[in-house]
């Protein structure tokens, strides 16, 4: 059976940001479980503001193609003044290009939500905002979301998490995305098989 394909999207234009490291850790976890993965971060997110109906820039075309192919997503954003960064929100606005797909927007896909912020209030309010955006895009936010307070060192130079509590949160969230994506794929394959079976009687 083909492996689930999990895409992580988010971070900042600064390579190696805390958000990017959190997403990379999540992708390592789902890869260990058996998924194929792809990270959209850093300079990938440096896109023109989304304009409905306009010709897509090359970078946006690539992101839309990856999201279209994804069985599950993990979205990460820094908390900027209590909300989603403009960079990540703009990238998510390009999901509008999936509106006419057989699976419109993020329909039927589990989405893990990860937020990094300097304080608890900003982290929690941003997580709630990110989950609301995922709902609006018809995605299924995982039961667990990660609101990470990044005061002090959170990740080491190799990208490993220095907090056991945060490490467990990120890995649990990743497992939830993987298992739901795998379940959805199995259901779709079972449905296709049943359509080919002769009727009862």
């Amino acid at each position: 059976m083909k492996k689930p394909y999990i895409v992580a999207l988010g971070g900042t234009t600064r390579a190696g940001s805390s958000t990017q490291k959190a997403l990379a850790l999540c992708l390592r976890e789902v890869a260990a479980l058996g998924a194929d993965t792809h990270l959209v971060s850093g300079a990938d997110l440096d896109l023109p503001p989304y304009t409905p109906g306009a010709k897509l820039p090359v970078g946006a075309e690539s992101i839309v193609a990856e999201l279209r192919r994804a069985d599950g997503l993990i979205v990460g954003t820094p908390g900027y003044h209590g909300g989603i960064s403009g960079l990540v929100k703009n990238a998510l606005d390009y999901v509008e290009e999936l509106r006419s797909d057989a699976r419109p927007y993020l329909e039927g896909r589990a989405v893990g939500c990860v937020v990094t912020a300097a304080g608890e209030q900003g982290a929690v309010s941003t997580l709630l905002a990110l989950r609301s955006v995922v709902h609006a895009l018809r995605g299924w936010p995982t039961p667990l979301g990660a609101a990470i307070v990044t005061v002090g060192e959170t990740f080491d130079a190799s990208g490993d998490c220095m907090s056991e509590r945060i490490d467990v949160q990120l890995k649990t969230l990743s497992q939830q995305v993987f298992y739901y994506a795998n379940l959805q794929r199995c259901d779709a394959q079972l449905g296709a098989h049943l359509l080919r079976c002769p009727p009862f009687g």
Side-chain angles (χ1 to χ4, degrees):
M1 184 171 67
K2 189 177 178 183
K3 296 179 179 180
Y5 186 60
I6 309 297
V7 172
L9 179 151
T12 71
T13 52
R14 178 174 61 86
S17 67
S18 295
T19 312
Q20 183 174 329
K21 287 179 178 178
L23 292 176
L25 187 155
C26 290
L27 289 186
R28 289 200 301 272
E29 179 66 16
V30 294
L33 293 169
D36 289 326
T37 67
H38 182 76
L39 176 64
V40 177
S41 192
D44 300 333
L45 300 172
D46 191 7
L47 302 169
Y50 177 67
T51 304
K55 179 176 172 55
L56 292 183
V58 173
E61 285 183 346
S62 175
I63 291 174
V64 169
E66 295 297 339
L67 295 178
R68 177 174 282 126
R69 184 182 161 203
D71 299 303
L73 285 92
I74 302 170
V75 179
T77 180
Y80 284 173
H81 308 122
I84 303 168
S85 77
L87 198 71
V88 173
K89 179 58 170 65
N90 185 51
L92 290 173
D93 286 343
Y94 279 91
V95 176
E96 180 65 21
E97 295 298 309
L98 306 181
R99 65 189 177 278
S100 299
D101 285 14
R103 290 190 304 171
Y105 299 101
L106 301 180
E107 180 84 32
R109 279 166 273 206
V111 183
C113 297
V114 177
V115 172
T116 61
E120 292 180 358
Q121 181 176 337
V124 171
S125 64
T126 304
L127 180 61
L128 291 172
L130 183 56
R131 289 174 69 90
S132 294
V133 170
V134 171
H135 273 298
L137 292 172
R138 305 188 196 178
W140 294 69
T142 55
L144 180 65
I148 301 170
V149 178
T150 55
V151 175
E153 292 295 324
T154 307
F155 299 93
D156 63 22
S158 63
D160 290 325
C161 189
M162 299 168 68
S163 162
E164 182 179 358
R165 179 181 62 82
I166 294 171
D167 188 65
V168 169
Q169 281 186 328
L170 291 173
K171 288 181 177 177
T172 301
L173 176 152
S174 305
Q175 291 161 10
Q176 290 176 352
V177 172
F178 175 83
Y179 291 130
Y180 185 84
N182 214 30
L183 181 64
Q184 286 291 94
R185 289 174 58 80
C186 289
D187 282 350
Q189 290 177 6
L190 177 61
H193 171 73
L194 292 175
L195 286 174
R196 292 192 297 269
C197 290
F200 293 104

